[in-house]
Amino acid sequence: MTTRTTPEPPTAAPLLDLHTLVVAVRRRRRLWGSVALLGLVGGAGTAVLLPPAPTAVTKVLVAHQEDQPTDPGTLIRTDVALLHTTRIAGRALEALGSPEKPEDFMKEYEGRGLTNNLLQIEATGDGDAEAVARVRALADAFVADHVRRLREASEAEARTLLDQRERLRSELAEVNRAIGDDPPESGPGASADRESLFARRAELTSQITEFGQRAAEARIGTPQLVAGTQIVDAPRPVRYSLPATAATNAGIGLALGLALGLAAAAVGTVVADRPVLRRDVAAHLGASVIAELTRRSGWLWRRRRVRAARTRLVVSLARTVRGSAEPVSLLELGCARAAGALALDLASALSAERPVVVVDGLPDGRLAGRRPRPGDPEVVGAERATTGSRHELRLGVGSVAPGTSWIDVPHLGTRTVLVVRAGHGSAAWLHTVARHLAEQHVEVIGLVLIDPDPRDRTDGTLWDGPPAPPNGGGSRPPRRHGVGLPRIERLPTWSARVPDSEQEAR
């Protein structure tokens, strides 16, 4: 009896892989670097092309009647709000003799409270002289309005106190009249009434004196407040430094551009879903990464390193093609130039043994249409893929990019090496490539990853073989010709057979 085992649940993939996101954003450094540079240039350009209007500034010391040491700044904020009123703006325009509307003029100046009693006024104009005149007119109008309000408040308070004093004097006159009209009597009731009248007269006299002093104090305090409200910093133009402003704006533009570029790169990476790590590329294509080729660099030692890696790859692929009984092809995804150059180098390495013909199956036919150099192998078009001498070696070069004719892929070679640029194809298209190659019975020898991330430490080797026995025995899996990687035979999980009896298990 044969049963099927329950397949193991697949490992849940994270919703957002931070490692992949960081690598993908770092690979798109041209994007966010360009945006950051654009912000830097734009910030510096605004300082040069859009200089600020001429500005003047002055400072006014404002004395408040209700000023307290614990005031949180309410009074000075009230003064700032009063400065932005049509009354102050209108009086300043009258002093300047300008026909401008107060509503429009209020947009060209601003006030700011530096402390509880210090007000700073800034105004712009067509020139430094006009800006200074506007600031002086605003300061004079504000001081005059503040002094007027102080005096009106003082006069109103003194008038109220004096009116109260006159009312008390009238009441005192009635009390004196009552005392004078009261006939002298010796009775105890008459004596008590007389004493109450005398006490009331003394109380009224004291209150009249007190209200008179308070009215005098209210009038005396106003000159102190008026003298305390004054312009302490004469109106002066604000000096504009082009280098400092340009540096500040450039720094702000650089920060904003860098943030915007990083955000755009991160969002584009998540939306595009293009694998960049060798682990992910190998998993989606179902083949191991056998070699990597970095881009050419301007540094001399890096050029040597790239050439050495390219030479090793050509030697390894030549060994694979030489020992293969079936035709081998190179199929590119996002790196047609690198795949074509690699095919020519491989053909040149094999041409010393027997004639080699490179079959150009690239969409643009760039290899067949190039001008041959002395010593280059013969390059033919895809129409000659099935023709040729029996003794010559055919090396196909094709593409698995979107729009590929999958029926023609097996004619380039039944065994292939995929040359893939990291981060070029989406995960869905990599799955499509693996599925179509399997349907066409094209065996993938391995992957050559172009332009990998230099900080990628993931493993690009796939291994689905059985576990080693406890005693360390067992034979090693067969090796692929030339490449030296284990030949992996993938079996579905349900194909594992459960023994029917204990004897069969033994």
Side-chain angles (χ1 to χ4, degrees):
M1 176 180 180
T2 303
T3 59
R4 295 180 180 179
T5 58
T6 304
E8 297 180 359
T11 305
L15 182 61
L16 182 62
D17 191 352
L18 294 181
H19 186 195
T20 304
L21 180 62
V22 170
V23 172
V25 171
R26 185 169 60 243
R27 288 178 60 86
R28 305 185 69 179
R29 53 185 174 271
R30 289 186 178 181
L31 171 62
W32 51 262
S34 301
V35 177
L37 182 61
L38 183 62
L40 176 67
V41 175
T46 54
V48 178
L49 301 178
L50 300 175
T55 307
V57 63
T58 186
K59 296 177 183 178
V60 180
L61 180 63
V62 184
H64 302 97
Q65 189 172 4
E66 302 86 0
D67 195 6
Q68 298 294 332
T70 58
D71 179 49
T74 305
L75 297 177
I76 196 67
R77 287 197 297 269
T78 303
D79 295 333
V80 171
L82 289 174
L83 180 66
H84 289 82
T85 56
T86 55
R87 182 172 63 183
I88 302 296
R91 292 182 179 178
L93 291 175
E94 290 178 1
L96 293 172
S98 174
E100 188 177 0
K101 295 182 179 180
E103 293 80 3
D104 299 335
F105 182 54
M106 285 190 297
K107 301 177 182 178
E108 300 177 0
Y109 70 87
E110 63 177 354
R112 181 175 57 180
L114 302 180
T115 63
N116 290 345
N117 299 98
L118 192 60
L119 175 64
Q120 177 176 299
I121 304 175
E122 295 182 0
T124 59
D126 296 336
D128 292 340
E130 182 179 356
V132 170
R134 286 187 170 188
V135 165
R136 182 180 290 108
L138 284 170
D140 293 340
F142 176 80
V143 171
D145 183 77
H146 187 74
V147 169
R148 181 186 59 79
R149 287 187 286 106
L150 288 177
R151 288 176 177 174
E152 289 179 356
S154 177
E155 290 295 333
E157 183 180 2
R159 190 180 304 108
T160 302
L161 294 174
L162 293 178
D163 292 343
Q164 185 69 11
R165 188 184 64 175
E166 294 300 327
R167 186 182 63 80
L168 294 177
R169 283 181 177 179
S170 300
E171 186 177 354
L172 178 61
E174 293 179 0
V175 171
N176 290 332
R177 189 180 304 108
I179 293 175
D181 295 342
D182 190 13
E185 296 180 357
S186 59
S191 300
D193 293 340
R194 186 178 294 273
E195 290 179 359
S196 63
L197 290 176
F198 279 108
R200 180 58 180 167
R201 185 175 64 179
E203 181 181 0
L204 291 175
T205 302
S206 176
Q207 292 180 357
I208 291 172
T209 304
E210 180 182 359
F211 278 108
Q213 293 177 354
R214 291 173 59 185
E217 290 176 357
R219 290 179 175 178
I220 292 174
T222 300
Q224 297 177 356
L225 297 178
V226 171
T229 303
Q230 57 183 334
I231 299 175
V232 295
D233 191 3
R236 55 182 176 82
V238 178
R239 298 304 175 187
Y240 171 69
S241 176
L242 180 60
T245 306
T248 303
N249 294 351
I252 296 175
L254 176 64
L256 293 179
L258 182 60
L260 181 61
L262 289 175
V267 172
T269 298
V270 174
V271 173
D273 190 18
R274 300 179 183 270
V276 294
L277 301 179
R278 64 172 66 93
R279 169 189 67 192
D280 300 333
V281 175
H284 290 302
L285 287 175
S288 300
V289 177
I290 60 176
E292 296 178 353
L293 287 179
T294 59
R295 294 184 301 177
R296 294 184 178 181
S297 176
W299 302 101
L300 182 59
W301 60 86
R302 292 186 179 179
R303 288 183 180 179
R304 295 176 179 176
R305 190 180 306 172
V306 172
R307 285 197 296 266
R310 189 186 191 90
T311 302
R312 290 194 301 267
L313 175 59
V314 170
V315 172
S316 177
L317 292 179
R319 189 183 304 113
T320 302
V321 175
R322 188 183 300 114
S324 177
E326 302 174 358
V328 180
S329 64
L330 298 179
L331 300 179
E332 64 84 22
L333 180 60
C335 49
R337 180 178 300 178
L342 187 60
L344 293 178
D345 293 343
L346 180 58
S348 300
L350 295 173
S351 60
E353 302 176 4
R354 57 173 174 169
V356 180
V357 177
V358 178
V359 180
D360 184 11
L362 296 174
D364 53 357
R366 62 175 60 197
L367 293 182
R370 64 188 294 271
R371 178 179 300 178
R373 298 178 181 178
D376 286 352
E378 181 183 0
V379 180
V380 298
E383 63 276 1
R384 291 186 53 187
T386 58
T387 63
S389 176
R390 181 183 304 176
H391 301 286
E392 67 181 9
L393 177 63
R394 290 188 298 106
L395 180 63
V397 182
S399 176
V400 290
T404 300
S405 178
W406 297 102
I407 301 178
D408 299 334
V409 171
H411 298 288
L412 299 176
T414 55
R415 302 184 68 191
T416 184
V417 175
L418 294 178
V419 185
V420 182
R421 180 178 294 276
H424 178 77
S426 63
W429 183 249
L430 295 182
H431 282 281
T432 302
V433 170
R435 185 174 65 252
H436 280 293
L437 291 179
E439 291 176 352
Q440 297 298 327
H441 302 286
V442 177
E443 179 186 1
V444 180
I445 302 176
L447 305 179
V448 177
L449 198 61
I450 303 297
D451 190 20
D453 185 74
R455 300 182 183 180
D456 184 10
R457 298 296 182 267
T458 60
D459 187 11
T461 304
L462 299 182
W463 174 248
D464 292 339
N471 57 1
S475 60
R476 298 178 61 183
R479 304 176 67 87
R480 293 181 180 177
H481 297 283
V483 180
L485 291 176
R487 189 180 184 91
I488 301 170
E489 298 293 341
R490 302 195 177 194
L491 298 177
T493 309
W494 52 264
S495 63
R497 183 173 180 272
V498 179
D500 295 335
S501 62
E502 184 179 359
Q503 182 178 2
E504 183 179 356
R506 288 197 298 269

Coordinates of all heavy atoms in Angstrom, one line a residue, residues 25-81:
V25 N 17.4 50.0 -3.0 CA 17.5 51.4 -3.0 C 18.9 51.9 -3.2 O 19.2 52.9 -3.9 CB 17.0 52.0 -1.6 CG1 17.3 53.4 -1.4 CG2 15.5 51.7 -1.5
R26 N 19.9 51.1 -2.7 CA 21.3 51.5 -2.9 C 21.6 51.3 -4.4 O 22.4 52.1 -4.9 CB 22.2 50.6 -2.0 CG 23.6 51.0 -2.1 CD 24.5 50.3 -1.1 NE 24.4 48.9 -1.2 CZ 23.9 48.1 -0.3 NH1 23.4 48.6 0.9 NH2 23.9 46.7 -0.4
R27 N 21.1 50.3 -5.1 CA 21.3 50.1 -6.5 C 20.7 51.3 -7.3 O 21.2 51.5 -8.4 CB 20.8 48.8 -7.0 CG 21.6 47.6 -6.5 CD 20.9 46.3 -7.0 NE 20.9 46.3 -8.4 CZ 21.9 45.8 -9.2 NH1 23.0 45.4 -8.6 NH2 21.8 45.8 -10.5
R28 N 19.7 51.9 -6.8 CA 19.1 53.0 -7.5 C 19.7 54.4 -7.1 O 19.0 55.4 -7.0 CB 17.6 53.0 -7.4 CG 17.0 51.7 -7.8 CD 15.5 51.7 -7.7 NE 14.9 52.6 -8.7 CZ 13.6 52.8 -8.9 NH1 12.7 52.1 -8.1 NH2 13.1 53.5 -9.8
R29 N 20.9 54.3 -6.7 CA 21.6 55.6 -6.2 C 21.6 56.6 -7.3 O 21.7 57.8 -7.0 CB 22.9 55.3 -5.7 CG 23.9 54.5 -6.6 CD 25.2 54.2 -5.9 NE 26.0 53.4 -6.8 CZ 26.0 52.1 -6.9 NH1 25.2 51.4 -6.1 NH2 26.8 51.4 -7.6
R30 N 21.6 56.3 -8.5 CA 21.6 57.3 -9.6 C 20.3 58.1 -9.5 O 20.3 59.3 -9.7 CB 21.7 56.6 -10.9 CG 23.1 56.1 -11.2 CD 23.2 55.6 -12.7 NE 24.5 55.1 -13.0 CZ 24.8 54.6 -14.2 NH1 23.9 54.5 -15.2 NH2 26.1 54.1 -14.4
L31 N 19.2 57.5 -9.2 CA 17.9 58.2 -9.1 C 17.9 59.2 -8.0 O 17.8 60.4 -8.2 CB 16.8 57.2 -9.0 CG 15.4 57.8 -8.6 CD1 15.0 58.7 -9.8 CD2 14.4 56.7 -8.4
W32 N 18.1 58.6 -6.7 CA 18.1 59.6 -5.6 C 19.3 60.5 -5.5 O 19.2 61.6 -5.0 CB 17.9 58.8 -4.3 CG 18.8 57.7 -4.0 CD1 18.6 56.4 -4.2 CD2 20.1 57.8 -3.4 NE1 19.6 55.6 -3.7 CE2 20.6 56.5 -3.2 CE3 20.9 58.8 -2.9 CZ2 21.8 56.2 -2.7 CZ3 22.1 58.6 -2.3 CH2 22.6 57.2 -2.2
G33 N 20.4 60.1 -6.1 CA 21.5 61.0 -6.2 C 21.2 62.2 -7.1 O 21.6 63.3 -6.9
S34 N 20.6 61.8 -8.3 CA 20.2 62.9 -9.2 C 19.2 63.8 -8.6 O 19.3 65.1 -8.8 CB 19.7 62.3 -10.5 OG 20.6 61.4 -11.1
V35 N 18.2 63.3 -7.9 CA 17.2 64.2 -7.3 C 17.8 65.0 -6.2 O 17.5 66.2 -6.1 CB 16.1 63.3 -6.7 CG1 15.0 64.2 -6.0 CG2 15.4 62.5 -7.8
A36 N 18.7 64.5 -5.4 CA 19.4 65.3 -4.4 C 20.3 66.4 -5.0 O 20.3 67.5 -4.6 CB 20.3 64.4 -3.5
L37 N 21.0 66.0 -6.1 CA 21.8 67.0 -6.8 C 20.9 68.1 -7.4 O 21.2 69.3 -7.4 CB 22.6 66.3 -7.9 CG 23.5 67.3 -8.7 CD1 24.5 67.9 -7.8 CD2 24.2 66.5 -9.8
L38 N 19.7 67.7 -8.0 CA 18.8 68.7 -8.5 C 18.3 69.6 -7.4 O 18.1 70.8 -7.6 CB 17.6 67.9 -9.1 CG 16.5 68.8 -9.8 CD1 17.2 69.6 -11.0 CD2 15.4 68.0 -10.3
G39 N 18.0 69.0 -6.2 CA 17.6 69.9 -5.1 C 18.7 70.8 -4.7 O 18.5 72.0 -4.3
L40 N 20.0 70.4 -4.7 CA 21.1 71.2 -4.3 C 21.2 72.4 -5.3 O 21.4 73.5 -4.9 CB 22.4 70.4 -4.3 CG 23.7 71.1 -4.1 CD1 23.7 71.7 -2.7 CD2 24.9 70.2 -4.3
V41 N 21.2 72.1 -6.6 CA 21.3 73.1 -7.6 C 20.1 74.0 -7.6 O 20.2 75.3 -7.7 CB 21.5 72.5 -9.0 CG1 21.5 73.5 -10.1 CG2 22.7 71.6 -9.1
G42 N 18.9 73.5 -7.4 CA 17.7 74.3 -7.3 C 17.7 75.3 -6.1 O 17.4 76.4 -6.2
G43 N 18.2 74.8 -5.0 CA 18.3 75.6 -3.8 C 19.3 76.8 -4.0 O 19.0 77.9 -3.6
A44 N 20.5 76.4 -4.6 CA 21.4 77.5 -4.8 C 21.0 78.4 -5.9 O 21.2 79.6 -5.9 CB 22.8 76.8 -5.2
G45 N 20.2 77.9 -6.9 CA 19.7 78.7 -8.0 C 18.7 79.7 -7.5 O 18.6 80.9 -8.0
T46 N 17.8 79.3 -6.5 CA 16.8 80.3 -6.0 C 17.5 81.5 -5.3 O 16.9 82.6 -5.4 CB 15.9 79.5 -5.0 OG1 16.7 78.9 -4.0 CG2 15.1 78.5 -5.7
A47 N 18.6 81.2 -4.7 CA 19.3 82.3 -4.0 C 19.8 83.3 -5.0 O 19.9 84.5 -4.8 CB 20.4 81.8 -3.1
V48 N 20.2 82.8 -6.2 CA 20.8 83.7 -7.2 C 19.8 84.3 -8.1 O 19.8 85.5 -8.4 CB 21.8 82.9 -8.1 CG1 22.4 83.8 -9.2 CG2 22.9 82.3 -7.2
L49 N 18.8 83.5 -8.5 CA 17.8 84.0 -9.5 C 16.6 84.7 -8.8 O 16.0 85.5 -9.4 CB 17.2 82.8 -10.3 CG 18.3 82.1 -11.1 CD1 17.6 80.9 -11.9 CD2 19.0 83.0 -12.1
L50 N 16.3 84.3 -7.5 CA 15.2 84.9 -6.8 C 15.7 85.5 -5.5 O 15.4 85.0 -4.4 CB 14.1 83.9 -6.5 CG 13.5 83.2 -7.8 CD1 12.5 82.1 -7.3 CD2 12.8 84.2 -8.6
P51 N 16.5 86.6 -5.6 CA 17.0 87.2 -4.3 C 15.8 87.8 -3.5 O 14.8 88.2 -4.1 CB 18.0 88.3 -4.8 CG 17.5 88.6 -6.2 CD 16.9 87.3 -6.7
P52 N 15.9 87.9 -2.2 CA 14.8 88.5 -1.4 C 14.7 90.0 -1.7 O 15.7 90.7 -2.0 CB 15.3 88.2 0.0 CG 16.7 88.0 0.0 CD 17.0 87.4 -1.4
A53 N 13.5 90.5 -1.5 CA 13.3 91.9 -1.6 C 14.1 92.7 -0.6 O 14.3 92.2 0.5 CB 11.8 92.3 -1.6
P54 N 14.5 94.0 -0.9 CA 15.1 94.8 0.2 C 14.3 94.9 1.4 O 13.1 95.2 1.4 CB 15.3 96.2 -0.5 CG 15.3 95.8 -2.0 CD 14.4 94.7 -2.2
T55 N 14.9 94.7 2.6 CA 14.2 94.6 3.8 C 14.8 95.5 4.9 O 16.1 95.6 4.9 CB 14.1 93.1 4.4 OG1 13.6 92.3 3.3 CG2 13.3 93.0 5.6
A56 N 14.0 96.1 5.7 CA 14.5 96.9 6.8 C 13.9 96.4 8.1 O 12.8 95.8 8.1 CB 14.2 98.4 6.6
V57 N 14.5 96.7 9.2 CA 14.1 96.2 10.5 C 14.3 97.3 11.5 O 15.2 98.1 11.4 CB 14.9 94.9 10.8 CG1 16.4 95.2 11.0 CG2 14.3 94.2 12.1
T58 N 13.4 97.2 12.5 CA 13.5 98.1 13.7 C 13.0 97.4 14.9 O 12.2 96.4 14.8 CB 12.8 99.4 13.5 OG1 13.1 100.3 14.6 CG2 11.3 99.2 13.4
K59 N 13.3 97.9 16.1 CA 12.9 97.3 17.4 C 12.2 98.4 18.2 O 12.8 99.5 18.4 CB 14.0 96.6 18.1 CG 14.6 95.4 17.4 CD 15.8 94.8 18.1 CE 16.4 93.7 17.3 NZ 17.6 93.1 18.0
V60 N 11.1 98.0 18.8 CA 10.3 98.9 19.6 C 10.1 98.3 21.0 O 9.7 97.2 21.2 CB 8.9 99.2 19.0 CG1 8.1 100.2 19.8 CG2 9.1 99.8 17.6
L61 N 10.4 99.1 22.0 CA 10.2 98.7 23.4 C 8.8 99.2 23.8 O 8.5 100.4 23.7 CB 11.2 99.4 24.4 CG 11.1 99.1 25.8 CD1 11.3 97.6 26.1 CD2 12.1 99.9 26.7
V62 N 8.0 98.2 24.2 CA 6.6 98.5 24.5 C 6.3 98.3 26.0 O 6.6 97.2 26.6 CB 5.7 97.5 23.7 CG1 4.2 97.9 23.9 CG2 6.0 97.6 22.2
A63 N 5.8 99.3 26.6 CA 5.5 99.3 28.1 C 4.0 99.0 28.2 O 3.2 99.7 27.6 CB 5.9 100.6 28.7
H64 N 3.7 98.1 29.1 CA 2.3 97.7 29.3 C 1.9 98.1 30.7 O 2.7 97.9 31.7 CB 2.1 96.2 29.1 CG 2.5 95.8 27.7 ND1 3.7 95.2 27.4 CD2 1.8 95.8 26.5 CE1 3.7 94.9 26.1 NE2 2.6 95.3 25.6
Q65 N 0.7 98.5 30.8 CA 0.2 98.9 32.2 C -0.1 97.6 33.0 O 0.0 97.6 34.2 CB -1.1 99.7 32.0 CG -1.6 100.3 33.3 CD -2.8 101.2 33.1 OE1 -3.3 101.4 32.0 NE2 -3.2 101.9 34.2
E66 N -0.5 96.5 32.4 CA -0.8 95.3 33.1 C 0.4 94.3 33.1 O 0.3 93.1 33.2 CB -2.0 94.6 32.5 CG -3.2 95.4 32.5 CD -3.3 96.3 31.2 OE1 -2.4 96.2 30.4 OE2 -4.3 97.1 31.1
D67 N 1.6 94.8 32.8 CA 2.8 94.0 32.7 C 3.1 93.3 34.0 O 3.2 94.0 35.0 CB 4.0 94.8 32.2 CG 5.1 93.9 31.6 OD1 4.9 92.7 31.6 OD2 6.2 94.4 31.3
Q68 N 3.4 92.0 33.9 CA 3.8 91.2 35.1 C 5.0 90.3 34.8 O 5.1 89.9 33.6 CB 2.6 90.3 35.5 CG 1.3 91.0 36.0 CD 1.5 91.8 37.2 OE1 2.4 91.5 38.1 NE2 0.8 92.9 37.4
P69 N 5.8 90.0 35.7 CA 7.0 89.2 35.5 C 6.6 87.8 35.0 O 7.4 87.1 34.3 CB 7.7 89.1 36.8 CG 7.2 90.3 37.6 CD 5.8 90.5 37.1
T70 N 5.4 87.3 35.4 CA 5.0 85.9 35.0 C 4.2 85.9 33.7 O 3.5 84.9 33.4 CB 4.2 85.3 36.1 OG1 3.1 86.2 36.4 CG2 5.0 85.2 37.4
D71 N 4.1 87.0 33.0 CA 3.3 87.1 31.7 C 3.9 86.1 30.7 O 5.1 86.2 30.4 CB 3.3 88.5 31.2 CG 2.5 88.6 29.9 OD1 1.4 88.1 29.9 OD2 3.0 89.1 28.9
P72 N 3.1 85.2 30.1 CA 3.7 84.2 29.2 C 3.9 84.8 27.8 O 4.1 84.0 26.8 CB 2.6 83.1 29.2 CG 1.3 83.8 29.5 CD 1.7 84.9 30.4
G73 N 3.7 86.1 27.6 CA 3.8 86.6 26.2 C 2.5 87.0 25.6 O 2.5 87.3 24.4
T74 N 1.5 87.0 26.4 CA 0.1 87.3 25.8 C 0.1 88.8 25.3 O -0.5 89.1 24.3 CB -1.0 87.1 26.8 OG1 -0.8 85.7 27.3 CG2 -2.3 87.3 26.2
L75 N 0.7 89.7 26.1 CA 0.6 91.1 25.8 C 1.4 91.4 24.5 O 0.9 92.2 23.7 CB 1.1 91.9 27.0 CG 0.4 91.8 28.3 CD1 1.1 92.6 29.4 CD2 -1.1 92.3 28.1
I76 N 2.5 90.9 24.4 CA 3.3 91.2 23.1 C 2.7 90.5 21.9 O 2.7 91.1 20.8 CB 4.8 90.7 23.3 CG1 5.7 91.4 22.3 CG2 4.9 89.2 23.3 CD1 5.8 92.9 22.4
R77 N 2.0 89.4 22.1 CA 1.3 88.8 21.0 C 0.1 89.7 20.6 O -0.2 89.8 19.4 CB 0.9 87.4 21.3 CG 2.0 86.4 21.3 CD 1.5 84.9 21.3 NE 0.7 84.6 22.4 CZ 1.1 84.1 23.6 NH1 2.4 83.8 23.6 NH2 0.3 83.8 24.6
T78 N -0.5 90.3 21.6 CA -1.6 91.2 21.3 C -1.1 92.4 20.5 O -1.7 92.9 19.5 CB -2.2 91.7 22.6 OG1 -2.7 90.6 23.3 CG2 -3.4 92.6 22.3
D79 N 0.1 92.9 20.8 CA 0.7 94.0 20.1 C 1.0 93.6 18.7 O 0.9 94.4 17.7 CB 2.0 94.5 20.8 CG 1.7 95.1 22.2 OD1 0.6 95.6 22.3 OD2 2.6 95.0 23.1
V80 N 1.5 92.4 18.5 CA 1.8 91.9 17.1 C 0.5 91.9 16.3 O 0.5 92.3 15.1 CB 2.5 90.5 17.1 CG1 2.6 89.9 15.7 CG2 3.9 90.7 17.8
A81 N -0.6 91.4 16.9 CA -1.8 91.3 16.2 C -2.4 92.7 15.9 O -2.9 93.0 14.8 CB -2.9 90.6 17.0

